[in-house]
């Protein structure tokens, strides 16, 4: 039958009348092809409660004839054609998805007469995030210098949440780069190391759920944390404090530590990038100091989803033969393999043998044709591989490979006559001579000879070169030229490649020659009966190759000695060497200072100068000649320079603030490149002017503050302070002296003449008579306004602080028609002073909660006139004093209109676009809600409504 006839249904036997006739169509070899997925469905999480949306699961297959599609939900066919399920090409669209009906595993089947394939499973799940319970959380207390944590206790949710924490108010999030804070993305808990007094505050757990089409967040009630000064021995159990510095070190207990761990093996966090199966094992952290050591072990177990190592491919095989297919997948746990034919499972039976990753079908029959899939799966995922099997039956046919009628041959040579008919199963072959004697031709062929052989050439890297090759041959034959480099045939058909052959002759042009293209070139001239060859050597001169055997010797505090061996000079003498290096602080290679400064080309050693003590380095050597610089050597092994005493002082010395009788001194911790050795710490010296110095040693590199407590300290007293660094090798220089004041005393007087005025229903203005600047006891920082409703206690007052000394401030976010008490206090770094006499204020009535109604407009030329109905205030609302008309985008100012006005004329934009206008009332209580309209130049006159406008333009469904 023709392919066109195959498209038509056949007449079926009565017992097959219930089976779709397409199952019995014939898959035509060379014309048809089975389905191959181009798009497959992906798992998604849909927001619970969003019933008016749609879920789209993609499915598209390439096939000839085109594929038809079916869908399965948890193995049961989806009833396509109903209102909720729509099939668009192969894609399934679910309208109004519901968790109880639609949750599950979806698979797409693509079908044509060559067979059926089934897609990977896509899981549809519904996500949700409930609110935190409304109950208040118990306050927590921690002591300064001690670690603590705050529990998130997230609400019910799906899927997993991401967690952040707020301090006091939105959006003051805890920064990820603050090393003292850690937020667990498993529990959501917030962990605080070495609590400080300024950590006191209200903390909110902020949770976010990310779904495929939306994101939802919610946050907890406040977790109140109070950090107290170090507990006195009478109030807490004794504690042991480690006085000598602790050193941390990592090792792999059951093998060698991966080199990619880098310098993290000497820190608190071990980092292993690009994790692989070789990294599995037991890792041990050891903490030690002069008093002893302790260890802790943890195991890394690496797992992975399946990944194909070997898959089967489409096959055309003869009837009655045997098929062997294998699918091999890597993964951990080890993936299991199962097989499908036309979407149905295959098991061992009759002629079929399934042995894990291997499928064998004996004595193949026509009905074995179809689409086969092997499926590899473990708990981390599933992968599919697809191939088509066609079982062929064909009588012998010479049309594709006819026997040649005339076969020329060189005299005295050999001749081969091919007999390769297309047939299935494999045919029996025999040859016969059809005449009594061979017929001999009356002509002889001339042998092929090279007439112009290529010559040896010597060029620089990047230059072009032509190797000539001409030949003579028998004129009755076609002549072709091929070229080989060191016996490997060159690709001369790639126009983008470096090799080009000149037309009609055998010359080879090499463009932008590189070192790798040097060698022996062989030209071969060939006809169908014989060939001839000639060779030439091409030398390419270029920059030197990389030096070898780089060693680091005689490591000192700021210098090392390097030794290396010469690399290949690539036919041009080496002129000089440069040395590159990098430290553990940077991944960038930099040119190093050396002795001698200029390293001659015959040298094989040099000293590197100007290094930092107690720093890890690695080095490279680069050779150069007149043709340029070569590739660098392999990096040396990593070395650490010797230790030395610090040479610079810490920076950022300052301080101040704190509680009564405290002197707080702060500085910037020394960076790694300035520490020069282990056993690192700080020596802090302080004194009142013209008295002796007091020194303290702080044996922690990360320390950045020191608190000196003495009950005899008077408030805001100046101290001279200086600091220097030390390590095992000695002490560094002192910094310049800084002046730091002891803790301030709270203000002792409060503001007078407090006045509060209502600005609107939601805002008041407070003014007061400022207090005199503090003198010996501290510096006035600003004022704190406290306000609370008439029937509330003052302890529940809300607070607003000014950032300067201005004696007036606005307070917003208030309730309408509400009486408030107001007090003002002065504050400095030590706290607030006594409150002022309180005053009272009543906020105004709220504005009308209705926008102007019956809005219409009319465009005329480049102007538009807008009209509306007046807004009438209710008895519990403030009176309307006028109207505001503003454009969201085009106008830079707002039109204020008297309350008697109910229309306005405005200019239209010049770009023939549209403008969004807002009309609202205003009065003593503030602005009322806006009525928004969209006005365009080409729409004439109408009652304006945003949703109607957008719908007209296809913006809204």
């Amino acid at each position: 039958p023709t392919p066109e006839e195959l498209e038509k249904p056949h007449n079926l036997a009565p017992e097959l009348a219930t089976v779709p006739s397409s199952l019995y169509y014939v898959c035509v070899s060379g014309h048809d092809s089975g389905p191959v997925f181009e798009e497959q469905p992906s798992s998604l999480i849909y927001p619970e409660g969003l019933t008016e949306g749609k879920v789209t699961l993609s499915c598209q297959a390439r096939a000839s004839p085109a594929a038809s599609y079916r869908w399965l939900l948890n193995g049961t066919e989806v009833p396509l054609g109903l209102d909720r399920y729509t099939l668009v090409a192969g894609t399934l669209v679910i309208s109004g998805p519901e968790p109880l009906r639609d949750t599950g595993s979806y698979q797409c089947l693509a079908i044509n007469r060559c067979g059926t394939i089934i897609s990977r499973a896509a899981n549809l799940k519904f996500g949700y995030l409930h609110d935190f319970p409304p109950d208040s959380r118990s306050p927590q207390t921690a002591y300064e210098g001690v670690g603590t944590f705050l529990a998130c206790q997230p609400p019910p949710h799906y899927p997993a949440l991401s967690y952040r924490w707020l301090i006091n108010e939105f959006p003051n999030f805890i920064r990820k780069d603050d090393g003292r804070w850690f937020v667990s993305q498993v529990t959501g808990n917030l962990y605080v190391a070495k609590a400080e007094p300024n950590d006191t505050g209200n903390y909110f757990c902020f949770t976010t759920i990310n779904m495929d089409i939306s994101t939802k967040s919610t946050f907890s009630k406040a977790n109140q944390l109070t950090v107290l000064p170090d507990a006195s021995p009478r109030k807490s159990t004794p504690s042991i404090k480690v006085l000598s510095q602790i050193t941390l070190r990592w090792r792999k207990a059951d093998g060698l530590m991966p080199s990619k761990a880098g310098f993290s093996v000497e820190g608190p966090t071990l980092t292993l990038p690009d994790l692989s199966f070789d990294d599995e094992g037991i890792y041990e952290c050891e903490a030690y100091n002069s008093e002893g050591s302790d260890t802790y072990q943890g195991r890394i177990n690496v797992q992975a989803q399946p990944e194909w190592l070997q898959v089967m491919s489409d096959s055309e095989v003869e009837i009655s033969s045997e098929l062997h297919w294998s699918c091999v997948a890597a993964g951990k746990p080890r993936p299991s393999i199962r097989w499908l034919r036309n979407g149905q499972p295959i098991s061992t039976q009759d002629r079929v043998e399934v042995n894990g990753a291997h499928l064998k079908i004996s004595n193949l029959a026509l009905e074995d044709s179809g689409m086969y899939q092997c499926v590899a799966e473990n708990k981390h995922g599933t992968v599919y591989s697809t191939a088509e099997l066609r079982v062929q039956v064909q009588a012998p046919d010479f049309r594709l490979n006819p026997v040649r009628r005339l076969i020329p041959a060189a005299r005295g040579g050999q001749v081969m006559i091919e007999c390769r008919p297309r047939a299935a199963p494999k045919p029996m072959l025999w040859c016969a001579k059809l005449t009594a004697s061979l017929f001999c031709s009356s002509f002889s062929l001339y042998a092929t000879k090279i007439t112009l052989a290529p010559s040896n050439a010597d060029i620089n890297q990047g230059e072009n070169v032509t190797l000539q090759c001409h030949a003579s041959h028998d004129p009755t034959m076609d002549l072709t030229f091929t070229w080989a480099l060191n016996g490997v045939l060159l690709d001369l058909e790639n126009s983008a490649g470096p090799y080009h052959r000149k037309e009609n002759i055998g010359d080879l042009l090499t463009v932008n020659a590189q070192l790798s293209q040097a060698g022996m070139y062989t030209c071969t001239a060939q006809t169908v009966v014989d060939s001839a060859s000639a060779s030439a050597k091409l030398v390419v001169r270029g920059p030197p190759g990389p030096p070898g055997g780089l060693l680091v010797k005689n490591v000192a505090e700021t210098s090392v000695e390097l030794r290396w061996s010469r690399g290949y000079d690539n036919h041009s003498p080496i002129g000089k060497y440069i040395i590159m290096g990098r430290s553990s602080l940077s991944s960038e290679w930099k040119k190093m200072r050396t002795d001698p400064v200029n390293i001659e080309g015959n040298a094989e050693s040099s000293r590197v100068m100007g290094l930092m003590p107690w720093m890890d380095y690695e080095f490279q050597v680069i050779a150069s000649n007149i043709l340029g610089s070569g590739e660098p050597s392999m990096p040396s092994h990593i070395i650490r320079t010797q230790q030395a005493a610090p040479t610079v002082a810490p920076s950022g010395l300052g301080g101040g603030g704190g509680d009564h009788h405290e002197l707080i001194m702060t500085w910037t911790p020394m960076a790694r490149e300035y520490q020069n050795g282990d056993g690192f710490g700080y020596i802090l010296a302080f004194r009142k002017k013209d008295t002796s110095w007091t020194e303290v040693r702080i044996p922690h590199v990360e320390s950045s503050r020191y608190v000196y407590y003495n009950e005899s300290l008077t408030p805001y007293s100046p101290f001279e302070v200086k600091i220097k660094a030390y390590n095992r090798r000695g002490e560094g220089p002192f910094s310049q002296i800084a002046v730091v004041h002891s803790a301030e005393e709270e203000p002792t007087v409060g503001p007078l003449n407090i006045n509060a005025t209502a600005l609107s229903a939601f805002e008041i203005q407070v003014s007061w008579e400022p207090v005199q600047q503090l003198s010996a006891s501290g510096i006035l920082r600003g004022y704190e306004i406290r306000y609370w409703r008439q029937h509330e206690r003052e302890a529940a007052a809300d607070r607003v602080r000014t950032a300067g000394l201005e004696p007036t401030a606005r307070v917003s976010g208030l309730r309408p028609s509400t009486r408030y008490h107001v007090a003002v206090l002065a504050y400095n770094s030590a706290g607030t002073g006594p409150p002022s006499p309180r005053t009272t204020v009543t906020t105004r009535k709220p504005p009308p909660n209705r926008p102007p109604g019956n809005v219409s407009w009319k465009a005329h030329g480049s102007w538009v006139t807008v009209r509306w109905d007046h807004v009438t205030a209710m008895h519990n609302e403030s009176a309307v004093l006028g109207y505001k008309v503003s454009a969201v985008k085009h106008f830079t100012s707002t039109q204020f209109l008297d309350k008697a006005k109910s229309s306005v004329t405005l200019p239209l934009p010049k770009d023939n676009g549209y403008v969004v206008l807002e009309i609202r009332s205003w009065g003593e209580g503030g602005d009322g809600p806006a009525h928004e309209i969209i006005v365009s130049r080409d729409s004439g006159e109408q009652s304006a409504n945003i949703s109607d406008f957008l719908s007209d333009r296809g913006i809204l469904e």
Side-chain angles (χ1 to χ4, degrees):
T2 65
E4 290 75 15
E5 292 171 334
L6 292 172
E7 297 289 348
K8 303 175 182 178
H10 297 283
N11 293 325
L12 303 176
E15 62 272 17
L16 301 179
T18 59
V19 181
S21 61
S22 62
L23 296 182
Y24 293 90
Y25 286 179
V26 177
C27 181
V28 181
S29 177
H31 177 266
D32 295 345
S33 60
V36 176
F37 282 120
E38 293 182 325
E39 290 185 37
Q40 297 190 58
S42 299
S43 298
L44 60 87
I45 299 174
Y46 191 82
E48 190 176 272
L50 186 60
T51 58
E52 296 182 357
K54 295 179 180 180
V55 167
T56 301
L57 298 172
S58 299
C59 183
Q60 190 67 40
R62 181 179 70 253
S64 178
S68 59
Y69 300 89
R70 290 163 48 202
W71 281 84
L72 303 178
L73 170 56
N74 298 327
T76 302
E77 186 159 358
V78 174
L80 300 174
L82 300 182
D83 290 342
R84 300 183 65 252
Y85 301 107
T86 305
L87 194 63
V88 180
T91 296
L92 177 65
V93 179
I94 306 173
S95 301
E98 302 172 7
L100 293 179
R101 299 175 62 179
D102 300 317
T103 299
S105 175
Y106 289 80
Q107 286 181 283
C108 169
L109 281 77
I111 309 156
N112 77 353
R113 64 191 178 207
C114 292
T116 300
I117 56 174
I118 189 168
S119 73
R120 67 190 178 204
N123 294 314
L124 173 59
K125 297 182 179 180
F126 288 78
Y128 61 90
L129 173 60
H130 294 174
D131 290 329
F132 279 89
D135 306 329
S136 298
R137 299 194 170 195
S138 301
Q140 289 182 236
T141 301
Y143 288 103
E144 182 181 2
V146 179
T148 187
F149 81 96
L150 301 173
C152 179
Q153 299 172 326
H157 62 274
Y158 179 83
L161 298 173
S162 60
Y163 298 91
R164 299 173 72 187
W165 282 77
L166 294 163
I167 304 179
N168 294 330
E169 61 183 14
F170 185 89
N172 187 19
F173 286 101
I174 291 175
R175 301 198 318 271
K176 293 182 179 180
D177 57 358
D178 192 329
R180 290 195 307 114
W181 305 84
F182 172 75
V183 178
S184 169
Q185 294 303 312
V186 177
T187 64
N189 294 347
L190 171 64
Y191 295 85
V192 187
K194 300 178 184 177
E196 299 176 357
N198 58 8
D199 293 336
T200 297
N202 291 321
Y203 293 77
F204 303 85
C205 181
F206 189 88
T207 62
T208 301
I209 183 172
N210 291 300
M211 292 171 281
D212 291 275
I213 65 172
S214 67
T215 297
K216 182 179 179 182
S217 300
T218 185
F219 57 91
S220 69
K221 290 291 185 178
N223 294 258
Q224 183 180 347
L225 175 65
T226 303
V227 180
L228 303 176
D230 288 339
S232 66
R234 294 170 295 174
K235 294 184 180 180
S236 64
T237 57
S239 62
I240 299 174
K241 294 185 177 179
V242 179
L243 300 180
S244 57
Q245 184 172 354
I246 295 175
T247 302
L248 298 175
R249 179 172 57 202
W250 287 89
R251 72 181 190 92
K252 193 175 183 185
D254 54 356
L256 294 176
M257 176 68 74
S259 59
K260 60 187 174 184
F263 305 117
S264 67
V265 296
E266 297 182 357
T269 303
L270 177 66
T271 302
L272 297 175
D274 300 323
L275 206 65
S276 66
F277 292 119
D278 294 335
D279 299 326
E280 285 193 329
I282 299 173
Y283 292 79
E284 181 179 87
C285 174
E286 180 184 17
Y288 60 93
N289 60 13
S290 59
E291 304 299 320
S293 65
D294 192 14
T295 62
Y296 191 85
Q297 291 184 341
R299 174 181 292 276
I300 293 180
N301 183 22
V302 181
Q303 299 196 349
Q305 66 181 24
E307 180 179 1
W308 289 120
L309 300 178
Q310 177 186 346
V311 295
M312 75 280 202
S313 57
D314 294 344
S315 298
E316 291 187 2
V317 294
E318 301 169 357
I319 194 169
S320 302
S321 62
E322 193 169 81
L323 172 75
H324 291 269
W325 265 339
S326 295
C327 283
V328 181
K332 193 171 183 183
R334 181 189 297 271
S336 62
I337 303 288
R338 54 189 175 91
W339 293 82
L340 306 174
R341 177 181 177 272
N342 292 332
Q344 298 298 318
I346 306 174
S347 58
T348 298
Q349 58 179 346
D350 299 331
R351 300 175 293 104
V352 179
E353 180 183 337
V354 177
N355 182 14
H358 305 284
L359 173 66
K360 175 183 175 183
I361 305 178
S362 305
N363 192 22
L364 282 165
L366 286 175
E367 59 265 25
D368 295 322
S369 297
M371 300 302 298
Y372 287 76
Q373 293 174 283
C374 57
V375 186
E377 54 193 341
N378 64 13
K379 65 181 181 180
H380 299 296
T382 304
V383 291
Y384 287 73
S385 176
T386 302
E388 182 178 356
L389 171 63
R390 291 187 179 180
V391 179
Q392 291 187 331
V393 177
Q394 183 176 349
D397 187 348
F398 282 95
R399 283 177 295 180
L400 289 179
N401 298 295
V403 178
R404 295 176 63 183
R405 293 183 179 274
L406 177 62
I407 303 176
R411 180 176 297 176
Q414 293 182 344
V415 66
M416 182 176 68
I417 304 174
E418 287 191 339
C419 180
R420 293 191 299 115
R422 184 173 184 181
K426 187 175 181 180
M428 296 177 61
L429 301 175
W430 70 92
C431 297
K433 183 173 145 186
L434 301 181
T435 61
S437 62
L438 289 175
F439 174 75
C440 296
S441 60
S442 60
F443 61 90
S444 299
L445 301 179
Y446 297 107
T448 303
K449 294 181 180 180
I450 300 294
T451 58
L452 179 59
S455 301
N456 294 341
D458 188 331
I459 63 170
N460 292 334
Q461 179 178 290
E463 294 180 348
N464 300 344
V465 63
T466 297
L467 299 178
Q468 293 181 309
C469 186
H470 297 183
S472 63
H473 67 292
D474 191 285
T476 63
M477 299 288 160
D478 290 332
L479 179 69
T480 60
F481 289 90
T482 61
W483 284 86
L485 171 58
N486 298 327
V488 178
L489 201 63
L490 299 180
D491 180 8
L492 304 179
E493 305 301 325
N494 182 8
S495 60
Y499 299 109
H500 305 275
R501 187 178 56 202
K502 292 190 177 180
E503 197 170 341
N504 299 326
I505 59 176
D507 292 359
L508 176 68
L509 170 63
T510 303
V511 178
N512 188 25
Q514 301 299 308
L515 294 172
S516 60
Q517 290 161 329
M520 187 63 69
Y521 284 78
T522 300
C523 168
T524 300
Q526 184 170 356
T527 68
V528 295
V529 294
D530 68 343
S531 63
S533 299
S535 299
K537 184 178 181 180
L538 175 64
V539 173
V540 180
R541 302 181 185 272
L550 180 59
L551 295 176
V552 185
K553 301 286 187 180
N554 302 326
V555 178
E557 295 174 353
T558 60
S559 66
V560 298
E561 184 181 346
L562 297 186
R563 296 179 184 175
W564 62 88
S565 59
R566 293 170 57 86
Y568 188 51
D569 65 7
N570 288 325
H571 310 291
S572 180
I574 296 173
K576 66 176 181 178
Y577 291 96
I578 62 170
I579 294 177
M580 308 294 290
R582 63 181 177 186
S583 71
S584 56
L585 303 176
S586 172
S587 61
E588 181 182 354
W589 291 95
K590 296 182 179 179
K591 184 177 179 181
M592 308 304 291
R593 184 158 59 90
T594 61
D595 181 20
V597 175
N598 297 315
I599 307 173
E600 299 296 333
N602 59 357
E604 293 188 354
S605 67
S606 176
R607 191 151 195 89
V608 180
M609 315 295 291
L611 304 179
M612 291 179 283
W614 198 56
M615 183 61 62
D616 293 332
Y617 285 96
E618 58 182 332
F619 303 95
Q620 291 179 334
V621 180
I622 300 175
S624 63
N625 58 22
I626 60 174
L627 298 176
S629 297
E631 292 293 319
S633 67
M634 292 290 293
S636 69
H637 65 277
I638 297 174
I639 60 93
R640 176 169 290 182
T641 51
Q642 297 294 322
Q643 300 186 34
T647 57
V648 297
S651 61
L653 184 60
D659 294 334
H660 291 173
H661 312 301
E662 286 183 348
L663 172 64
I664 297 180
M665 292 156 282
T666 61
W667 61 93
T668 302
M670 292 278 277
R672 173 66 176 80
E673 58 262 40
Y674 303 118
Q675 295 172 21
N676 288 7
D678 58 5
F680 185 86
Y682 305 95
I683 297 175
L684 187 66
F686 55 93
R687 69 175 182 181
K688 282 192 173 182
K689 193 171 184 179
D690 299 328
T691 64
S692 60
W693 292 94
T694 298
E695 288 191 358
V696 292
R697 295 174 74 89
I698 301 146
H700 303 292
V701 64
E702 71 277 6
S703 297
S704 61
R705 70 195 300 265
Y706 179 78
V707 180
Y708 172 68
Y709 179 84
N710 192 318
E711 291 187 354
S712 65
L713 286 180
T714 55
Y716 206 62
S717 299
F719 280 78
E720 292 182 332
V721 181
K722 60 183 180 180
I723 191 172
K724 64 181 176 181
Y726 72 89
N727 61 22
R728 295 189 189 277
R729 296 295 299 271
E731 299 177 359
F734 267 117
S735 68
Q736 292 186 339
I737 293 175
V739 176
V740 178
H741 288 79
S742 59
E744 301 178 52
E745 185 179 44
E746 301 93 337
T748 57
V749 296
L752 299 174
N753 298 329
I754 309 303
N755 182 46
T757 305
L759 300 179
S760 69
F762 315 102
E763 188 176 34
I764 62 173
Q765 178 151 335
V766 183
S767 61
W768 56 90
E769 183 179 309
V771 302
Q772 296 300 315
Q773 277 279 8
L774 307 181
S775 54
S777 61
I779 297 178
L780 185 64
R781 307 291 180 182
Y783 296 92
E784 179 177 284
I785 299 97
R786 297 182 181 177
Y787 56 97
W788 64 98
R789 284 180 287 168
Q790 183 174 11
H791 300 296
E792 291 180 335
R793 295 181 295 110
E794 183 175 354
D798 289 314
R799 307 176 184 199
V800 173
R801 278 191 170 185
T802 68
L805 303 180
E806 191 70 25
T808 182
R810 289 190 175 195
V811 178
S812 58
L814 305 179
R815 297 187 180 186
S817 305
T818 302
R819 187 176 182 83
Y820 283 90
H821 296 291
V822 181
V824 182
L825 306 82
Y827 76 88
N828 61 13
S829 65
T832 55
S836 68
R838 72 177 61 170
T839 187
T840 59
V841 62
T842 301
T843 53
R844 299 185 185 277
K845 293 180 180 180
N849 66 354
R850 299 166 303 286
N854 197 23
V855 179
S856 63
W857 56 271
K858 182 177 181 181
H860 39 87
S862 59
W863 297 84
V864 62
T865 299
V866 185
R867 294 181 173 83
W868 60 88
D869 287 348
H870 287 293
V871 177
T872 303
M874 308 295 287
H875 69 89
N876 59 342
E877 296 174 336
S878 60
V880 175
L881 299 181
Y883 298 92
K884 293 181 180 180
V885 180
S886 58
V888 173
K889 176 177 167 184
H890 293 279
F891 302 152
T892 58
S893 61
T894 299
Q895 298 264 3
F896 288 85
L897 305 174
D898 185 80
K899 66 180 179 180
K901 301 285 187 179
S902 62
S903 66
V904 67
T905 299
L906 301 168
L908 281 170
K910 297 180 180 180
D911 57 4
N912 292 327
Y914 62 90
V915 62
V916 180
L917 298 178
E918 292 182 347
I919 305 102
R920 52 165 56 88
S921 63
W922 64 273
E924 291 182 345
D927 292 347
H931 188 125
E932 286 190 348
I933 63 172
I934 293 183
V935 176
S936 63
R937 185 189 296 269
D938 58 353
S939 298
E941 178 178 6
Q942 58 178 299
S943 296
N945 181 282
I946 286 181
S947 60
D948 291 343
F949 177 86
L950 297 177
S951 179
D952 289 344
R953 285 155 175 76
I955 301 174
L956 290 180
E957 293 185 358

